[in-house]
Amino acid sequence: MSETQAQMSMNENDGNKLVYKTNGLNLWYGENHALKDIQLHVVENEVTAIIGPSGCGKSTYIKTLNRMIELIPGVKTTGEILYRGRNILDKTYPVEELRTKVGMVFQKPNPFPKSIYENVVYGPRIHGIRDKKILDQIVEKSLRGAAIWDEVKDRLQTNAYGLSGGQQQRLCIARCMAIEPDVILMDEPTSALDPISTLKVEELLQELKKNFSIIIVTHNMQQAARISDKTAFFLNGEVIEFTKTSKIFSNPSDKRTEDYITGRFG
Ligand SMILES: Nc1ncnc2c1ncn2[C@@H]1O[C@H](COP(=O)(O)OP(=O)(O)OP(=O)(O)O)[C@@H](O)[C@H]1O
Ligand SMILES: [Mg+2]
């Protein structure tokens, strides 16, 4: 996408409340040029969806947003990702600080093999909170926020592995909320869930965006259309189109976007 297109697709008011701004990001796994000149921005209190065929760089991109990508040997990046105005790709940026601001939920629910309670207080404990009363409050607030409190309130001390997949995923969202992040990154968070659990998580996202910014990778086009404010279409490591979700699904500018969303490939 050209600079002009990127500018055009940026809502006039977006500039004031940018959470992330990615400028000319390139990423290589060894010789494999996986992200090419990415321009994208993320606005406060919005859900931004990332769609595109398998292998186009969606997970790679989302993992650069919290610098998880640097755990992989041989990864090289150029360009910048401004988070609240500071370039997180700058090696002097404190990654620990970033991780307290940016939570992540993965495709497969990944609770710790501990009690429901301990899963939620894990992050706050790392941040030094010891007071039992405060931890109790965090647990209730986070589990309520993730719409799972009523289902688990009477069994907080039981192992999280005893929950259903959909419950585990909402627990993981609660665990993420317990650190009071600014942004939540989600990589296909509902692909392992049944339709009812999926609906619950989708409803939850609409609630969460009142307080957080959400970036979600999804293969499910209906889901992107239902829940997101903006959508980025990735193809072969490039952003082909990035604009309001209503526009991308009703009147895409690029033929390749249209072909993808109408199911002609991918
Ligand atoms: N750890 C890695 N080491 C080397 N190459 C990788 C690694 N992870 C991803 N890649 C490559 O980077 C490209 C983008 O992969 P990525 O996982 O970001 O795609 P994706 O859009 O998330 O796909 P999917 O929809 O299948 O999850 C692919 O060519 C992939 O093979
Ligand atoms: Mg992926």
Side-chain angles (χ1 to χ4, degrees), residues 27-245:
L27 184 144
W28 292 262
Y29 292 105
E31 297 292 300
N32 180 4
H33 194 179
L35 295 178
K36 300 168 189 158
D37 196 26
I38 306 288
Q39 300 285 140
L40 256 185
H41 64 277
V42 173
V43 178
E44 266 181 7
N45 306 115
E46 284 194 356
V47 176
T48 304
I50 298 179
I51 61 169
S54 185
C56 68
K58 304 179 298 295
S59 297
T60 299
Y61 178 63
I62 208 167
K63 283 188 278 187
T64 58
L65 296 177
N66 66 353
R67 273 179 56 180
M68 233 175 85
I69 200 76
E70 70 191 25
L71 302 172
I72 300 168
V75 166
K76 198 187 123 207
T77 55
T78 61
E80 59 178 17
I81 299 179
L82 303 178
Y83 167 67
R84 301 282 181 191
R86 284 170 68 198
N87 184 14
I88 60 165
L89 296 181
D90 187 331
K91 288 288 175 258
T92 61
Y93 191 101
V95 73
E96 313 73 38
E97 188 185 308
L98 186 68
R99 302 267 163 78
T100 66
K101 301 284 182 201
V102 182
M104 182 142 180
V105 176
F106 297 84
Q107 177 169 12
K108 265 183 60 195
N110 60 347
F112 304 129
K114 293 169 179 275
S115 70
I116 293 167
Y117 185 96
E118 283 304 319
N119 264 273
V120 181
V121 299
Y122 184 83
R125 274 201 216 280
I126 287 182
H127 296 145
I129 301 174
R130 297 273 175 272
D131 187 325
K132 170 91 168 61
K133 257 210 193 102
I134 294 177
L135 291 172
D136 286 353
Q137 283 166 4
I138 292 174
V139 168
E140 178 166 348
K141 185 172 169 214
S142 307
L143 291 170
R144 278 192 192 281
I148 188 180
W149 171 251
D150 288 335
E151 288 157 72
V152 300
K153 63 175 190 288
D154 300 323
R155 49 165 165 156
L156 294 177
Q157 298 307 332
T158 63
N159 197 294
Y161 282 9
L163 298 172
S164 73
Q167 289 172 328
Q168 287 186 11
Q169 194 62 309
R170 278 177 288 141
L171 173 64
C172 292
I173 294 171
R175 184 177 66 190
C176 184
M177 288 166 63
I179 60 166
E180 302 198 320
D182 182 28
V183 187
I184 303 181
L185 309 175
M186 299 182 149
D187 197 349
E188 301 186 49
T190 62
S191 65
L193 306 186
D194 65 82
I196 291 173
S197 306
T198 296
L199 201 66
K200 280 193 181 165
V201 171
E202 286 185 9
E203 284 168 2
L204 175 58
L205 296 189
Q206 296 308 311
E207 273 308 304
L208 293 182
K209 79 170 193 179
K210 294 176 187 162
N211 297 309
F212 307 97
S213 308
I214 297 164
I215 304 165
I216 180 173
V217 171
T218 177
H219 272 129
N220 181 331
M221 237 80 71
Q222 286 80 16
Q223 178 169 69
R226 273 196 300 266
I227 65 172
S228 69
D229 300 284
K230 293 206 180 73
T231 298
F233 170 54
F234 278 56
L235 186 64
N236 295 329
E238 285 180 71
V239 177
I240 302 300
E241 192 161 348
F242 170 52
T243 186
K244 286 202 172 104
T245 298

